[in-house]
């Protein structure tokens, strides 16, 4: 059913959610997804990142994993693999 109905898929399936943007924690998204700052910092450390702004973005994936996109010179709008990620309309520093 999920395969054939977009509305049902939206209700049943989670979508990837942006949790940080260039070192800034997106508190509303963190609260909504119940992800703590400590969990995000742990994911950063797992990727060898020692500063919050060492990653462009941290994304909560649909499987519960945290994906870390290391710091690079790219704008959010240009990041093709993030096109399906739920993000606020206005992000800090954007």
């Amino acid at each position: 059913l999920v395969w054939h109905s977009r509305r049902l898929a939206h209700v049943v399936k989670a979508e990837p959610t942006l949790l940080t943007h260039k070192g800034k924690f997106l508190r509303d998204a963190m609260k909504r997804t119940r992800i703590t700052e400590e969990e995000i910092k742990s994911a950063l450390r797992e990727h060898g990142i020692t500063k919050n702004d060492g990653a462009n973005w941290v994304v909560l994936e649909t499987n519960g994993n945290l994906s870390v996109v290391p710091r690079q010179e790219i704008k959010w709008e240009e990041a093709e693999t993030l096109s399906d990620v739920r993000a606020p309309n206005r992000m800090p520093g954007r």
Side-chain angles (χ1 to χ4, degrees):
L1 288 173
V2 172
W3 184 262
H4 295 291
S5 171
R6 284 195 120 166
R7 182 176 288 166
L8 182 60
H10 182 71
V11 171
V12 173
K13 292 183 75 176
E15 59 186 340
T17 302
L18 187 67
L19 300 174
T20 72
H21 174 70
K22 306 214 180 215
K24 305 290 186 205
F25 293 99
L26 302 177
R27 302 283 179 195
D28 289 343
M30 291 169 61
K31 185 176 181 180
R32 186 175 58 253
T33 59
R34 290 179 244 123
I35 298 293
T36 66
E37 190 173 311
E38 290 76 20
E39 290 171 302
I40 293 171
K41 287 181 178 182
S42 175
L44 291 171
R45 289 190 302 271
E46 287 177 9
H47 287 82
I49 297 172
T50 57
K51 295 180 77 174
N52 293 343
D53 66 355
N56 272 4
W57 305 289
V58 175
V59 176
L60 174 63
E61 300 292 352
T62 58
N63 64 3
N65 291 336
L66 294 177
S67 292
V68 176
V69 179
R71 190 68 163 188
Q72 54 188 293
E73 291 301 317
I74 186 170
K75 294 179 182 176
W76 173 258
E77 298 80 13
E78 297 169 350
E80 293 175 2
T81 61
L82 300 173
S83 64
D84 65 335
V85 174
R86 179 180 183 174
N89 292 332
R90 297 193 43 101
M91 288 191 278
R94 185 170 162 193

